[in-house]
Amino acid sequence: MAELEGLEFGKSDFVLLDEVTMEQFMENLKLRFEKARIYTFIGEVVVSVNPYRHLDIYGKEVIEDYRGRELYENPPHLYAVADAAYKAMKRRAKDTCIVISGESGAGKTEASKYIMQYIAAITNPSQRAEVESVKNVLLKSNCVLEAFGNAKTNRNDNSSRFGKYMDINFNFNGDPTGGHINNYLLEKSRVAQQQEGERNFHSFYQVLRGGSDGLLKSLYLQRDPAEYAYTNQGASITLASNNDSLCHKAVMAALKVIGFTAEEIISIYKILSTILHLGNLQFTSDGEHVVLVGEDTVKHISELTSTEPENTRKALLYRTVATGGGEVIEKGHNEQEASYGRDAFAKALYERLFAWIVGRINCVIQVKDYNPALHGKNTVIGVLDIYGFEIFDNNSFEQFCINYCNEKLQQLFIELILRQEQDEYQREGITWQNIEYFNNQIIVDLVEQPHKGIISVLDEACLTAGKVTDTVCLDSMNKKLGQHPHYTSRKLCPADKTMEFNRDFRIRHYAGDVTYSVEGFLDKNKDPLFQDFKRLMYNRQPYARFLQRYKMTCEYTWPNHLMSSDQEAVEAIVNQHGFEDDVAYGHTKLFVRTPRTLFTLEQERAALIPILVLFLQKVWRGALARMRCRKIRAIYTIMAYYKCYKVKAHFWEVERRFTNVRNMADYGKSVEWPTPPAALVQFHRITQHLYRRWWARQLIKNIPPSDMAEVRAKVAALSALSGERVDWGYSRAWERDYLASAKDSPLTSTNFVRITKELKNKDPYSQVLFSCSVRMLNWFNNTKDRALLITDKHIYRLEPKKHFKVQKRISLDSVVGVSVTSGSDQMVALHTASQDDFLVHLQRGQLNPNQDRVGELVGSLTDHFTRVKNTPLPVKVCSTVFQVHMSGKPKSITVETKPGQTAADFKKSRTGFTLLLPHQ
């Protein structure tokens, strides 16, 4: 190769330099450029310098010079690299790839076109029609993609504003049979805004300057780009451009060759015109609402997009939001929001148009009816043409992504060409001179390092709730990256006035320092295409990881494979999807050549994941439900048997304990009841109640009729005094009429019986309820011994010393209550409706000086009121003091024990009276 070009042209391969230094490298590059030698080898790499003029080095004769030749046989040229890739693909039946990288304006797009032209020229020597058709479509696709994806920048009149990766498929003869184009990260922000000196995408100017008068009229367009806000911002557009007109004709012809129908072509230009009209929409405020200026433009947009004008107007002026209560309302935009929404709509339209065009081209150029058994192995040459490294006066998120991608490519170049090469020399024991080179991994980490890199900071800011601004995001980057040697900002370097406070940060890229404006970073980072672009760069995986991620896409590997190794399982996945020609199998890893494979797998996986999740949820929930159901059934079964056992056991225990109660002296009163189970608590209470009734019946049936009155009175006293008064005489026989008893009142009983007969004749009554000697107060509040007689009609106070003369008589119906104390004293108060109560102390007679007769009095009265009058008589048991009324006046009655007191007696107190009891 050194012999093909004289030394006056410099070294045609940089590996021939005597000393590898930056100065020697640049001097050799400059010398060759000045001699019109724009290509120089570095081994199998070609370094190209854009001459910015046409050179006659791409004709048919030159193509023939490089056809089938080795790299070293001809001077450096793109054709040499293209031919080397083609030969490697054809000879070894291996897929190859040509990567074109460089800064913006370096000539990458032109280089990719020349590579395509060379491949088209050297293939299909037999001129088969179907192969020629494929080649023609592949070549024409460049024209269309340039029109819609390229634009004039300050560095390049035909700058690619999208990344492109094209696969060219070849049959076993080495003839192209089809292809596929992947496009990445279209710079859609250019649709709405261009920097000074730049233009929008070529397609807009081409249709305006090259479209027929009839076409423009049907699209409601004017020929001058200065009339439209989206095409009059940057570069000077007042001068006519014959190039735009000629390119329009070429694009129209290319669209027809590719296979776009007339209807599809007009639809493309309708969308372009819609975008131009959108840019001319203006918004103004009438005070409360934002309104559109120019109704005709809205009508044109609606007609071009086949929508209703009112719906278009609503979409531009309002947005639908959901309130906290779930109500859906329409909220009007302000002017800023309306403009932002318009621009976003225009950018989305163009992005989807471009994606559709690429997809439509792919449908035409894809390999059809391919059968490996009939047609042999299908191989691929891939051509990668992406944005070049960019440094503009104003660098935004787009330049950040472009330069990051170039950093990744540079890192890949270092990894594959330099580091691995030197590592292999070291492994093989080859003597070599170590070459120092800058490894830009540190810059790549600055951008993409998890939890710390710029992308991570941006993503975190986008996910943070609340109002997070670009300035806040810049502050976060300053905090996390302030110590990084390749990052700085005005806050970190206040003396650097080339950056603005709260706006700019700078990255030291491998190709130079770039100052970025953070304005708009957060909004642009939310674009999902950026996520797709990152995933594209992810072109190898360990078998285990690949299998784990994609095993659900193959019936032989889901849910678990039965093959001898993970590699075989991965091969099954790849073969089932027909990707065997797009991968390579390493010892531990699978190498995927094109992103199409991963994209297809990801898409299928994404489609299957919801189905699998639902299926697993259904199966697991069903399993959980069945387990719970079985447990619940078992629990209920056990509970039912246990309850049955407890019920039976309770019945058996009750039966055992109460079997012989009929023969017991107390009829089973002393028998302790067993504790019932919860299910029998109510039944247990009913059973106890029935038992007590039976027990009472057993007792009562043995009581003579003459004793029934006493029994009823004791029961009544029990209800009134049980738990309130310690002793109330229930254990003795009750005489009731003690004044008529010769045993209790031997001296006065005869006289009392006579008096009672007279009273019975005078005040007819049926029976005496109670009689007893008492100590009570007279009208003058003096205490005297008196006799108390209570019949079923009246209550009498009698004077025993005057032959039981009646001193006072009241109707029994006037009694409204009884009060007693809780002690052992015998004081009783009979409350009357006239508030002239009887306050007495029952005196014990000769029968038993220690008898308690309070219970007998209370029981007799309450039984009579309940049984005869059918009215309950209130009984109040007081612990210390109770209240009475005497002649309508309230009095407080207390009880005291006084030493030396021989008999119970009342004594007047400040608030009433006190019953003085002997000290015992």
Side-chain angles (χ1 to χ4, degrees):
M1 191 163 51
E3 297 175 353
L4 294 175
E5 293 185 329
L7 293 178
E8 69 272 16
F9 298 108
K11 301 292 180 64
S12 60
D13 194 328
F14 282 109
V15 300
L16 300 177
L17 290 176
D18 298 327
E19 185 180 359
V20 182
T21 64
M22 181 60 71
E23 292 76 11
Q24 291 285 340
F25 186 94
M26 295 303 298
E27 183 179 343
N28 187 65
L29 197 65
K30 181 180 179 183
L31 175 60
R32 292 185 58 77
F33 180 75
E34 291 173 346
K35 299 292 185 179
R37 299 299 190 265
I38 64 172
Y39 298 117
T40 309
F41 282 130
I42 308 179
E44 294 184 351
V45 178
V46 171
V47 178
S48 172
V49 182
N50 192 342
Y52 290 100
R53 61 190 175 93
H54 179 73
L55 298 178
D56 190 18
I57 57 174
Y58 304 103
K60 292 183 179 179
E61 297 81 4
V62 179
I63 291 176
E64 290 300 323
D65 289 340
Y66 284 88
R67 182 200 294 264
R69 301 294 184 91
E70 301 298 332
L71 280 175
Y72 55 83
E73 294 186 62
N74 282 311
H77 201 289
L78 282 176
Y79 291 165
V81 174
D83 195 78
Y86 179 75
K87 286 199 302 284
M89 180 271 299
K90 189 174 181 181
R91 291 175 180 175
R92 305 173 191 172
K94 288 177 59 177
D95 296 339
T96 59
C97 180
I98 300 174
V99 178
I100 307 172
S101 67
E103 65 177 330
S104 180
K108 298 180 300 301
T109 300
E110 292 300 312
S112 67
K113 289 194 291 186
Y114 286 131
I115 290 173
M116 295 286 294
Q117 289 174 2
Y118 180 83
I119 293 175
I122 65 173
T123 55
N124 194 31
S126 61
Q127 297 294 303
R128 292 171 53 203
E130 62 272 22
V131 176
E132 287 301 307
S133 175
V134 169
K135 291 197 303 183
N136 203 19
V137 170
L138 289 173
L139 293 174
K140 294 298 182 182
S141 66
N142 277 326
C143 176
V144 175
L145 294 179
E146 281 187 19
F148 290 90
N150 290 23
K152 179 188 183 302
T153 68
N154 290 317
R155 301 288 298 275
N156 185 358
D157 286 347
N158 188 31
S159 177
S160 295
R161 308 317 298 163
F162 71 104
K164 177 180 68 175
Y165 179 81
M166 174 179 284
D167 272 336
I168 307 173
N169 297 80
F170 296 86
N171 59 18
F172 69 101
N173 287 328
D175 293 330
T177 58
H180 184 85
I181 300 171
N182 285 324
N183 64 292
Y184 313 126
L185 200 67
L186 177 72
E187 189 190 23
K188 62 180 180 181
S189 61
R190 181 172 292 271
V191 172
Q193 186 177 11
Q194 306 95 44
Q195 296 191 41
E196 184 66 29
E198 299 189 352
R199 296 204 317 178
N200 209 324
F201 291 100
H202 295 325
S203 56
F204 293 107
Y205 305 95
Q206 290 174 2
V207 69
L208 292 175
R209 287 174 169 158
S212 65
D213 293 338
L215 175 64
L216 295 184
K217 183 178 180 180
S218 67
L219 301 176
Y220 303 103
L221 293 177
Q222 300 181 43
R223 194 168 295 280
D224 188 0
E227 297 293 328
Y228 300 98
Y230 285 163
T231 55
N232 65 6
Q233 299 177 25
S236 175
I237 43 80
T238 57
L239 297 177
S241 174
N242 292 328
N243 188 48
D244 287 330
S245 178
L246 293 175
C247 287
H248 174 72
K249 295 178 181 178
V251 171
M252 291 289 286
L255 289 172
K256 294 176 181 177
V257 169
I258 291 172
F260 285 80
T261 65
E263 183 179 358
E264 289 173 335
I265 294 174
I266 194 61
S267 296
I268 291 173
Y269 289 108
K270 280 185 178 180
I271 295 174
L272 289 179
S273 59
T274 297
I275 294 171
L276 290 174
H277 289 307
L278 280 172
N280 279 8
L281 286 176
Q282 295 181 356
F283 304 93
T284 184
S285 176
D286 62 359
E288 295 183 0
H289 304 285
V290 173
V291 296
L292 278 166
V293 178
E295 288 295 322
D296 289 342
T297 304
V298 176
K299 293 179 180 177
H300 295 161
I301 293 172
S302 300
E303 180 180 338
L304 292 169
T305 57
S306 301
T307 58
E308 293 295 328
E310 183 60 27
N311 294 339
T312 304
R313 187 181 298 103
K314 275 190 174 182
L316 290 166
L317 297 178
Y318 299 90
R319 70 174 182 268
T320 302
V321 296
T323 64
E327 182 183 2
V328 177
I329 62 173
E330 288 184 348
K331 181 180 179 182
H333 291 308
N334 57 36
E335 291 183 51
Q336 182 180 1
E337 291 172 339
S339 299
Y340 180 86
R342 173 202 62 200
D343 292 343
F345 181 39
K347 290 185 287 187
L349 277 177
Y350 197 82
E351 180 186 37
R352 283 157 177 74
L353 170 64
F354 186 76
W356 178 81
I357 290 174
V358 174
R360 185 69 178 81
I361 294 173
N362 283 334
C363 290
V364 175
I365 65 176
Q366 68 179 352
V367 179
K368 301 176 179 65
D369 301 325
Y370 175 74
N371 186 341
L374 297 177
H375 305 116
K377 185 176 181 181
N378 187 352
T379 51
V380 172
I381 292 180
V383 180
L384 178 63
D385 175 20
I386 66 164
Y387 297 101
F389 192 88
E390 294 185 344
I391 306 177
F392 295 150
D393 292 335
N394 181 24
N395 301 288
S396 187
F397 185 75
E398 293 80 8
Q399 283 68 47
F400 171 77
C401 295
I402 290 168
N403 294 341
Y404 162 59
C405 181
N406 279 272
E407 288 284 358
K408 289 288 288 185
L409 275 179
Q410 176 69 10
Q411 200 274 332
L412 181 66
F413 177 82
I414 292 171
E415 180 74 17
L416 297 179
I417 305 301
L418 299 178
R419 192 180 70 83
Q420 287 188 7
E421 190 78 9
Q422 298 192 46
D423 288 348
E424 186 173 10
Y425 291 161
Q426 188 172 359
R427 285 194 306 269
E428 298 297 331
I430 303 299
T431 303
W432 58 285
Q433 180 182 354
N434 184 52
I435 300 176
E436 295 294 334
Y437 58 88
F438 171 67
N439 190 340
N440 68 329
Q441 183 63 47
I442 187 174
I443 304 176
V444 174
D445 291 340
L446 168 66
V447 177
E448 68 180 13
Q449 186 176 6
H451 310 299
K452 191 176 180 181
I454 294 176
I455 291 176
S456 178
V457 174
L458 289 173
D459 290 344
E460 182 179 347
C462 291
L463 294 174
T464 301
K467 184 66 174 177
V468 180
T469 63
D470 295 318
T471 304
V472 173
C473 183
L474 179 60
D475 290 338
S476 180
M477 288 193 292
N478 288 335
K479 291 177 182 177
K480 293 187 176 183
L481 305 171
Q483 302 301 317
H484 199 284
H486 289 263
Y487 175 89
T488 188
S489 69
R490 183 67 184 273
K491 184 176 181 180
L492 299 175
C493 189
D496 189 349
K497 296 184 179 180
T498 61
M499 294 183 288
E500 291 289 336
F501 277 111
N502 298 325
R503 190 192 75 177
D504 295 341
F505 68 94
R506 181 175 296 153
I507 297 178
R508 291 178 55 196
H509 288 284
Y510 80 94
D513 294 354
V514 182
T515 300
Y516 298 99
S517 171
V518 80
E519 293 177 351
F521 258 53
L522 290 182
D523 286 339
K524 294 175 181 178
N525 185 52
K526 295 175 183 177
D527 188 346
L529 286 178
F530 177 67
Q531 299 296 328
D532 291 343
F533 180 73
K534 287 200 300 185
R535 285 194 291 268
L536 280 177
M537 308 309 293
Y538 182 62
N539 270 347
R540 61 194 67 184
Q541 298 187 44
Y543 291 122
R545 181 188 294 179
F546 185 92
L547 181 63
Q548 181 66 26
R549 185 163 185 82
Y550 301 116
K551 64 180 182 179
M552 70 286 298
T553 65
C554 177
E555 59 181 322
Y556 303 110
T557 57
W558 176 259
N560 294 298
H561 70 86
L562 300 177
M563 302 174 193
S564 59
S565 67
D566 287 347
Q567 180 177 348
E568 289 188 19
V570 170
E571 290 180 6
I573 296 175
V574 172
N575 293 336
Q576 177 163 316
H577 292 84
F579 297 147
E580 56 270 19
D581 296 332
D582 199 41
V583 299
Y585 298 99
H587 294 301
T588 61
K589 294 180 180 179
L590 175 73
F591 292 78
V592 181
R593 188 185 58 78
T594 66
R596 182 185 68 245
T597 296
L598 287 178
F599 278 175
T600 304
L601 288 172
E602 284 291 336
Q603 289 174 350
E604 186 168 348
R605 180 180 183 274
L608 288 173
I609 286 295
I611 300 173
L612 294 176
V613 169
L614 290 176
F615 175 75
L616 292 176
Q617 286 179 340
K618 178 181 71 173
V619 172
W620 180 239
R621 286 173 180 168
L624 289 178
R626 284 187 290 273
M627 286 190 291
R628 284 195 296 267
C629 183
R630 285 194 293 267
K631 287 181 180 179
I632 291 173
R633 285 178 178 174
I635 289 171
Y636 279 118
T637 301
I638 294 172
M639 287 174 59
Y641 278 99
Y642 183 71
K643 286 180 181 179
C644 183
Y645 163 76
K646 292 291 288 185
V647 169
K648 291 181 178 179
H650 181 71
F651 289 157
W652 294 331
E653 184 62 18
V654 171
E655 182 183 12
R656 185 186 67 80
R657 296 187 184 189
F658 287 86
T659 297
N660 200 35
V661 294
R662 192 180 297 272
N663 301 322
M664 294 181 181
D666 62 352
Y667 295 105
K669 184 179 180 181
S670 60
V671 175
E672 183 179 357
W673 285 82
T675 303
L680 291 179
V681 170
Q682 184 176 1
F683 177 79
H684 183 71
R685 287 197 294 265
I686 296 173
T687 304
Q688 286 182 314
H689 177 70
L690 291 174
Y691 166 76
R692 284 192 289 268
R693 289 176 62 89
W694 175 84
W695 178 81
R697 179 61 183 166
Q698 295 302 112
L699 294 178
I700 291 173
K701 74 178 183 180
N702 294 325
I703 299 175
S706 59
D707 294 339
M708 287 303 298
E710 179 182 345
V711 172
R712 287 196 299 270
K714 286 185 176 181
V715 172
L718 175 66
S719 300
L721 302 176
S722 178
E724 299 286 345
R725 189 175 172 91
V726 178
D727 184 18
W728 45 272
Y730 65 87
S731 61
R732 63 175 179 83
W734 287 358
E735 294 287 336
R736 288 199 181 189
D737 195 358
Y738 289 98
L739 292 177
S741 173
K743 294 180 181 180
D744 194 70
S745 304
L747 300 178
T748 59
S749 60
T750 303
N751 191 24
F752 180 78
V753 171
R754 180 181 59 80
I755 294 300
T756 56
K757 289 181 179 179
E758 294 177 359
L759 289 175
K760 190 173 185 179
N761 293 330
K762 183 179 180 181
D763 298 324
Y765 61 85
S766 300
Q767 62 176 339
V768 174
L769 300 180
F770 186 81
S771 68
C772 179
S773 297
V774 297
R775 187 76 172 171
M776 64 184 302
L777 294 167
N778 62 7
W779 290 315
F780 303 103
N781 294 329
N782 295 322
T783 57
K784 298 293 182 180
D785 289 331
R786 294 290 184 262
L788 177 66
L789 172 62
I790 302 176
T791 68
D792 58 352
K793 298 293 185 180
H794 297 90
I795 298 177
Y796 299 91
R797 185 176 69 188
L798 307 174
E799 171 58 80
K801 293 182 179 181
K802 295 182 180 180
H803 305 289
F804 294 102
K805 179 182 177 181
V806 176
Q807 290 187 329
K808 187 176 182 180
R809 182 187 68 177
I810 62 172
S811 173
L812 186 62
D813 294 338
S814 66
V815 176
V816 295
V818 179
S819 292
V820 299
T821 69
S822 59
S824 60
D825 62 87
Q826 300 297 297
M827 184 170 59
V828 178
L830 301 177
H831 303 290
T832 64
S834 61
Q835 294 191 340
D836 191 11
D837 301 341
F838 276 79
L839 180 63
V840 300
H841 183 270
L842 305 180
Q843 293 181 332
R844 302 179 177 99
Q846 298 294 323
L847 185 63
N848 190 335
N850 294 322
Q851 281 183 343
D852 186 300
R853 295 182 178 178
V854 172
E856 191 171 353
L857 172 58
V858 171
S860 298
L861 283 175
T862 55
D863 174 61
H864 177 76
F865 270 76
T866 302
R867 183 170 52 83
V868 177
K869 297 183 177 298
N870 200 27
T871 302
L873 179 65
V875 178
K876 186 175 183 181
V877 182
C878 304
S879 59
T880 55
V881 180
F882 61 76
Q883 302 292 325
V884 298
H885 287 81
M886 292 184 175
S887 302
K889 297 179 180 180
K891 303 290 182 180
S892 296
I893 312 299
T894 60
V895 179
E896 291 183 6
T897 300
K898 182 178 180 182
Q901 185 78 17
T902 58
D905 201 0
F906 289 100
K907 177 184 178 181
K908 188 175 182 180
S909 66
R910 187 173 63 181
T911 59
F913 297 93
T914 300
L915 175 64
L916 300 177
L917 298 176
H919 183 71
Q920 297 181 352

